[in-house]
Amino acid sequence: MAATLPRIVIFRINSRAMKYLHYLPLLLALAACDGGLWNNPYPASDKGKSIYYSAFAERPKHLDPASAYSENEYIFLAQIYQPPLQYHFLKRPYTLVPQAASEMPTVSYLDKNNQPLPDDAPAEKVAFSVYEIHLRTGLNYQPHPAFARDTKGKLEYHALTSNDLSNIHALTDFPHSGTRAVKAADYVYQIKRLAHPTIHSPIAGLMVDYIVGLKEYIATLQQAKKKNPNTFLDLHDYLLEGAQTVDDRTYRIKIYGKYPQFAYWLAMTFFSPMPVEAERFYAQDGMSERNLVLDWWPVGSGPYYLSENNPNQRMVLTRNPHFSGEVYPTEGEAGDKEAGLLADAGKALPLISKVVFSLEKETIPYWNKFLQGYYDAAGISSDSFDQAVQVNVGGETNVTNEMKAQGIKLSTSVATSTSYMGFNWLDPVVGGSSERATKLRRAISIAVDFEEFISIFANGRGISAQSPIPPGIFGYREGEAGINHYVYDWVNGAPQRKSINEAKKLLAEAGYPDGLDAKTKQPLIIYLDTTATGVGSKSRLDWLRKQLEKLNLQLVARSTDYNRFQDKLRKGDTQMFYFGWNADYPDPENFLFLLHGAQGKVEKGGENASNYNSPEYDRLFEKMKNMENGPARQEIIDEMLEILRRDSPWIWGQHPKDYVLRHAWLHNSKPNKMANNNVKYLRIDAAQRDELRSGWNQPKLWPLWLIGSALALLGWGLWRVLRQREEAR
Amino acid sequence: MIAYLIRRILYAIPILIGVNLLTFSLFFVVNTADDMARMQLGMKRVTPEAIEKWKQQHGYDKPLLFNAHAEGVSKISDTIFFQKSARMFAFDFGSSNDGRNVAREIQTRMMPSLAIALPTFLIGLLIYITFALLMTLFRATALDMLGVSLCVLLMSISGLFYIIGGQFVASKLWHWVPISGYAGGLDSIKFVLLPVLIGVMGSVGASSRWYRTIFLEEIGKDYVRTARAKGLSELRVLFRHVLKNAMIPILTGVVVVIPLLFMGSLLTESFFGIPGLGSYTIDAINAQDFGVVRAMVFLGSMLYIAGLVLTDISYTIVDPRVRLQ
């Protein structure tokens, strides 16, 4: 019965499709041969162009300068927006220089009656500081439809109807764009946006303690929004005492007290200019449904603008044609000239016309594309470390011969960050200032050998920390003066971890001889909370168990997800934990505040995750935080570090070292851990890149012939066997 | 048949509500609205006020399933579940946690997913069936044994190995195609070649063996003997008669996956940097983005139901004895 089935459509389709399938290999070959290399992920038309190719691993969450606060957002925003200040590209220690400002801000001090005080007035007398910022000339916004004007001079796209938007899916769908000069009022407007009721700015909570009137301003805007929830909230209509426009090129920020670190905030994109036209443009009905929002389509005045925004695939920055007035630095630190970093001194920035960031989630394709020359620079994952870097007997690191043959160069720098293991000060076993707990913490600090950790798990990419302050930050001391003498001895010109016997002695003095509680005779169990849950984390936790086993202590690791971990920290439901901190700005205050009592996580919801509390330390911190860098500040910092080392609220852990590889055609690459706006200084030798890429990536054709021949032979063989079988029937 | 289809579509509604409720329950057993806010707001300087503000702005400040403080219908409607789920039945997927329109994202990402999944499916089907027919043709011979052994070998290798090995050989050693990445239009061909090849390779063992079993089942039937008795060649018997009659079991497994091709492949898209729906789902799960997760699960369930209905319809096409009532 089944044999009588009618001829079905699907077979006809298949037989037709089969005919076309014969043409498929030809089609594929044609597609591959677009005039360039077969494995080139970029269009052949990019050849010879001054384009910088880089990658990003995680899509940015925010591109609104009021909200963005993480590395993966700054790599884009720092090229697009122009805060008044920036870090000098070459000088170390990190130095602030003007960016949009014509000069460094002038700071004047006022008493509580708003009367001027001399520049050297003591901090306790200063009730307000006023930062006056003058903008340089020639600042202009990127081309954007929000600025487009019609023939009558009216903003063209500010009264769009749903009909107007019917064919609009991206910014590029607007036929016209415009620009305008940046005004001081735009900087003031952005400061006001930090308080906007519908924008979450992570620094708003911090800034209410500094910018005069910001707290009240937040309440005012909330009221206004509540009253008219569907109306555009024009911040120009509401005055903020702490941010005032003086004239088109001058504005003032008034802050409470003396806070020298405020200048560092002025180098962050939170304080970039924001044109009200942009906000009005995006606030129109129908825009957010098309993903046309300020949080995704920045409007800046920096050297580049976001011309393609596809965080699922690639983000493209194109040179802002209206950008001018900034040149490559003419001076740097010792050795920069010899390294060729001043070869472009005085040249107009930016030096590259386009930047292509491709989404690369996995390290293996990222690394291989770098080796093929399709990324200009790359970090090194642990898997590729041995292939890329060799360490000689003297401990010096360099690229391997394989890398050298490709002309790849290595730059290393210590990150302005610290990763540590904290003890919870509120825990009855390891916390508190008692001698017992202090000795227990010190014993554990000696036992956990971070030099070994760095060597095993980070391929030596890090330095063991002696305090929370990393190298490159004021307050860090080199040599013997800088070691934590509770954990290290200075032996033969280098720090050497104290012996495990000393740790055992401390443990016995703490009431845990041989790891047993002297009273209960029960072994001491230490609980570690960590977010390490992956397969790779097991070896780290095993290693840590072994470190504590040196003291006969038992470690129980409580692995959890990041949210649960944060919850535990907030409730103080931890004993020991892994944590870290990346500097906001290069000042010791930004590290030492992590142990300030007023920042206690449980009591105040602050950043002191250990809940460390020392009145002595807090008093010194209050004194140090507003001081200018100098011997007096260093002296106080030394005192503070001595208290911290003595109390050991953290196992100081490590300061990671960043290793970056770059190809020979990439010039002016110098690690700067504070600034993210380095792309404008980079230069590409596109001709050299094309030549080397071409040499490295010629397709190998012999496997194609081999596979083709094997398939043909197999087909022929089968056909013959079949024929023989048919003939035999 | 129309009555049947209408009935199946009506059946789908309670199923979709159930799936939605299950997704919602599972998601909020593991995560809280506070967790979602923290994930979105980042790691530094996140205050309790900021979390409350975020929840309010994104509609996560309501009770989960039942609002005891509300009156009447609002007890049900003024909840996170109702607010977030009801609109989906009108295909309004709302926004992701980062404020992007989910429907637009799905629309954009559908094509890259299809660019990989559709050729993998079609080429794969052609190769698996051909290979299975050849094994059937040479059944109980050394060639058949060799084919089956090859299938077992290919089945035993991890999918990840095919990806990494394929990238190493085809891209790194032989420089044939880009290791990863994607481009629109015709430019996409060089990016999808390797993922498609690997996708086909990855399933050739299991699928060919499955089809071989189906064909072997058919080949012992009377109509095959009749066809042979008529003097038809073995190739003709297999490709014109056996294949046609084996369509019901083949379609059972094949048609149901056709709508799901839109959903993409999680692993392949991630390794090859394909901006499709598979990677979208994985990213959303990692980012605890309920808006995207519920939309993708809803879409997946809906497409699966559509696949089942299509399978039923396809039976009527290949077997006239089947009637949908």
Side-chain angles (χ1 to χ4, degrees), chain B residues 21-297:
Chain B
L21 188 64
L22 199 66
T23 313
F24 182 84
S25 308
L26 287 174
F27 189 91
F28 281 100
V29 162
V30 181
N31 306 291
T32 63
D34 283 31
D35 294 343
M36 292 165 66
R38 256 179 234 115
M39 186 60 92
Q40 198 57 33
L41 296 175
M43 294 183 184
K44 287 166 98 176
R45 303 185 195 277
V46 181
T47 59
E49 295 77 37
I51 289 170
E52 282 311 310
K53 188 172 154 185
W54 186 91
K55 279 159 57 182
Q56 208 177 354
Q57 279 174 3
H58 291 81
Y60 289 104
D61 56 337
K62 299 178 187 333
L64 289 177
L65 287 162
F66 184 77
N67 190 343
H69 301 292
E71 294 294 324
V73 189
S74 300
K75 280 182 186 296
I76 301 294
S77 64
D78 197 20
T79 58
I80 298 178
F81 177 70
F82 190 87
Q83 299 281 327
K84 301 283 174 193
S85 306
R87 287 184 311 177
M88 279 205 301
F89 286 88
F91 295 98
D92 177 0
F93 294 126
S95 304
S96 58
N97 284 351
D98 57 16
R100 304 204 82 178
N101 188 286
V102 176
R104 190 159 288 274
E105 281 278 301
I106 291 173
Q107 215 178 326
T108 319
R109 286 171 171 260
M110 206 176 263
M111 279 319 288
S113 278
L114 268 182
I116 302 278
L118 198 62
T120 307
F121 173 76
L122 292 175
I123 298 170
L125 202 61
L126 191 75
I127 289 175
Y128 309 150
I129 290 178
T130 311
F131 190 33
L133 282 170
L134 284 172
M135 282 192 285
T136 314
L137 186 66
F138 294 104
R139 63 195 171 280
T141 66
L143 276 175
D144 181 30
M145 280 293 289
L146 194 70
V148 173
S149 306
L150 186 68
C151 286
V152 173
L153 181 76
L154 291 171
M155 281 165 71
S156 314
I157 297 170
S158 148
L160 200 60
F161 180 84
Y162 285 115
I163 294 176
I164 296 173
Q167 284 181 331
F168 180 78
V169 175
S171 304
K172 198 182 172 197
L173 285 186
W174 296 343
H175 308 138
W176 285 357
V177 286
I179 290 177
S180 66
Y182 188 74
L186 264 185
D187 289 340
S188 67
I189 292 174
K190 67 177 175 183
F191 292 101
V192 302
L193 263 176
L194 187 59
V196 167
L197 184 72
I198 285 169
V200 171
M201 282 282 289
S203 299
V204 75
S207 302
S208 301
R209 281 202 68 198
W210 164 239
Y211 293 132
R212 176 182 171 273
T213 313
I214 294 170
F215 297 140
L216 284 178
E217 179 90 16
E218 284 295 316
I219 209 145
K221 290 187 177 168
D222 289 345
Y223 74 89
V224 179
R225 202 173 304 128
T226 312
R228 283 197 191 117
K230 274 166 55 183
L232 293 181
S233 72
E234 192 66 13
L235 266 182
R236 211 172 167 81
V237 170
L238 274 175
F239 281 87
R240 299 202 70 172
H241 295 281
V242 172
L243 179 58
K244 212 182 284 179
N245 286 285
M247 283 314 284
I248 292 267
I250 290 176
L251 288 175
T252 307
V254 166
V255 180
V256 76
V257 301
I258 293 174
L260 290 173
L261 296 177
F262 290 95
M263 302 297 287
S265 157
L266 308 182
L267 202 63
T268 309
E269 287 182 9
S270 188
F271 264 83
F272 286 99
I274 309 288
L277 288 173
S279 54
Y280 189 42
T281 313
I282 280 284
D283 289 347
I285 293 168
N286 289 335
Q288 297 175 358
D289 193 330
F290 179 64
V292 177
V293 172
R294 76 190 152 92
M296 293 307 294
V297 173

Side-chain angles (χ1 to χ4, degrees), chain A residues 541-666:
Chain A
L541 293 175
D542 286 344
W543 174 84
L544 197 58
R545 273 190 203 100
K546 278 186 186 157
Q547 302 303 300
L548 265 68
E549 273 169 17
K550 291 181 202 165
L551 299 175
N552 283 334
L553 297 179
Q554 294 180 21
L555 180 86
V556 175
R558 299 187 292 205
S559 299
T560 184
D561 65 71
Y562 187 72
N563 278 321
R564 293 284 85 69
F565 175 72
Q566 284 280 12
D567 205 39
K568 282 182 165 189
L569 286 183
R570 265 194 312 280
K571 291 176 181 160
D573 191 16
T574 58
Q575 195 169 58
M576 248 171 93
F577 55 90
Y578 265 126
F579 221 32
W581 181 258
N582 265 324
D584 289 311
Y585 44 81
D587 190 90
E589 181 262 352
N590 197 236
F591 286 93
L592 296 175
F593 93 112
L594 297 171
L595 290 147
H596 187 215
Q599 288 286 335
K601 182 75 99 182
V602 172
E603 222 176 297
K604 318 269 183 193
E607 299 292 344
N608 177 359
S610 279
N611 302 295
Y612 174 65
N613 195 356
S614 161
E616 194 188 357
Y617 176 85
D618 291 352
R619 185 182 54 78
L620 290 168
F621 177 82
E622 292 297 340
K623 204 170 162 187
M624 175 281 302
K625 72 173 187 182
N626 293 330
M627 290 174 79
E628 302 289 344
N629 288 343
R633 199 179 194 209
Q634 180 70 58
E635 205 175 302
I636 294 176
I637 291 170
D638 288 345
E639 239 180 290
M640 292 172 76
L641 295 185
E642 171 56 24
I643 294 168
L644 290 179
R645 286 163 180 158
R646 183 196 68 204
D647 289 350
S648 306
W650 293 359
I651 299 175
W652 302 107
Q654 58 150 336
H655 307 299
K657 248 182 180 176
D658 291 339
Y659 281 41
V660 177
L661 296 171
R662 65 177 200 281
H663 283 292
W665 57 74
L666 180 66

